[in-house]
Amino acid sequence: MAANRRPTLADVAREVGVSAKTVSRVLNEDGPASAQTREQVLAAVAKLGFQPNLMARNIRVGGPDTTIGLVIPDLANPFFGAVARAIEDTVRERGLTLLMGSSADDPERERALTDKFLARRVSILIIVPSVGADHSHLKSHRTAGLPVIFLDRPGVGLATDSIVSSNRAGAHDGVAHLIAHGHRRIGFVGDLPVKLYTRRERLAGYRSALQEADIPYDRSLVTNAHDQQGAEAATSQLLGLADPPTALFAGNNIMALGIVAELARSKRKDVAVVAFDDVSLAEALEPALTVVAQDAEELGRAAATTALTRLDGDRTRTRTITVPTRLIVRGSGEQPAPKP
């Protein structure tokens, strides 16, 4: 079988030495087959990385004929919604249809979702990897010509293209902005899990900005949360310290919402805030929210464009594309530090 061709039913039949009809009977469980034949067929399927062509069946019944599978961690997060829209806009020009599902940042759920997409014989697979996921099971599919793209975070166990934001540099810029306005006690509210690539990179940027300004790293100023309510609690915890922060850096847009809500509840307008990720209605807040904005549209376009290039036969070395962030100054990050 050619290295750049995806395995077919005939390939499985040839590997076992039986007819394609026999392979079909085993896979569809709709006819007699000995236990030995069944075992040999399933072993060949696993070896070759074969997936039943459900897409062909869909075509026969009038369903979509060309699709792209996109796995994201959270359908409710507007950042991933913007990324998905950019992907869809880009691939629509090629007559492709986007299918999307949420992994909830669960490796097992991600694997189940990718398996379903593979069973449909998607033309392209784009994944926002979950923490702890192993993507080595996709090697045979990628070798057979399926474009696999990691988005927002690198994957594990598979050498393929990745599209990420400049997380470390962006966080550094945001924290340096707070330092430039006199702040030396700067809290960090990051998301969970702590091994998440984006969290680790943004915390590294936070620490590098402190180090650059000769400000000691204080673990008590670093907290974590999984959702807005958790971020509110983390903010309250930081503000309750004996030596509380005068500024806060939010690790993502959800953390930012929790910080803003808690500051409003406690009527604290004296705390400066910079958030990584932009927030809907950020300009309507008082003061308006200063952010390190990711370019969600460019992330989506870059992922789709790279995938289409691979689909068209590009077999050059895999690459990581880093999309720059930009600091948007609106007011909250420019609150000066209190005079000692």
Side-chain angles (χ1 to χ4, degrees), residues 18 20 63 72 75 78 89 105 112 127 134 153 155 168 226 237 256 275 287:
V18 297
I72 62 174
L75 291 170
D89 289 345
D105 260 328
I127 305 171
D134 181 354
R153 317 161 185 172
R168 188 176 300 209
H226 183 65
Q237 173 190 326

Side-chain angles (χ1 to χ4, degrees), residues 69-109:
L70 171 63
V71 180
I72 62 174
D74 184 2
L75 291 170
N77 190 323
F79 168 74
F80 290 112
V83 170
R85 182 175 62 247
I87 293 173
E88 186 173 45
D89 289 345
T90 304
V91 302
R92 185 185 293 120
E93 299 173 2
R94 291 282 294 269
L96 303 177
T97 302
L98 182 67
L99 301 177
M100 182 168 58
S102 170
S103 67
D105 260 328
D106 181 327
E108 292 184 6
R109 185 164 165 176

Side-chain angles (χ1 to χ4, degrees), residues 96-248:
L96 303 177
T97 302
L98 182 67
L99 301 177
M100 182 168 58
S102 170
S103 67
D105 260 328
D106 181 327
E108 292 184 6
R109 185 164 165 176
E110 178 193 309
R111 174 66 183 267
L113 193 53
T114 56
D115 284 347
K116 288 179 180 178
F117 284 150
L118 292 169
R120 294 183 61 94
R121 297 185 68 83
V122 292
S123 299
I124 293 168
L125 186 59
I126 301 176
I127 305 171
V128 178
S130 304
V131 173
D134 181 354
H135 303 93
S136 57
H137 67 285
L138 296 171
K139 285 182 179 178
S140 61
H141 301 286
R142 186 179 178 281
T143 300
L146 174 68
V148 179
I149 307 293
F150 291 135
L151 177 60
D152 189 54
R153 317 161 185 172
V156 174
L158 181 69
T160 195
D161 300 312
S162 297
I163 316 296
V164 298
S165 289
S166 54
N167 293 284
R168 188 176 300 209
H172 172 279
D173 291 347
V175 175
H177 185 71
L178 291 168
I179 294 171
H181 285 81
H183 298 280
R184 295 184 63 83
R185 296 285 290 172
I186 302 172
F188 178 92
V189 183
D191 52 348
L192 292 170
V194 293
K195 292 184 178 180
L196 184 68
Y197 167 79
T198 49
R199 184 201 182 277
R200 288 189 288 108
E201 286 294 295
R202 294 168 194 175
L203 180 61
Y206 163 86
R207 296 189 66 166
S208 70
L210 296 180
Q211 184 178 21
E212 194 175 87
D214 293 322
I215 299 174
Y217 174 67
D218 186 342
R219 288 181 180 273
S220 71
L221 293 178
V222 176
T223 60
N224 312 297
H226 183 65
D227 52 25
Q228 181 177 329
Q229 290 70 34
E232 291 175 24
T235 302
S236 178
Q237 173 190 326
L238 288 171
L239 296 179
L241 292 173
D243 186 9
T246 62
L248 296 171

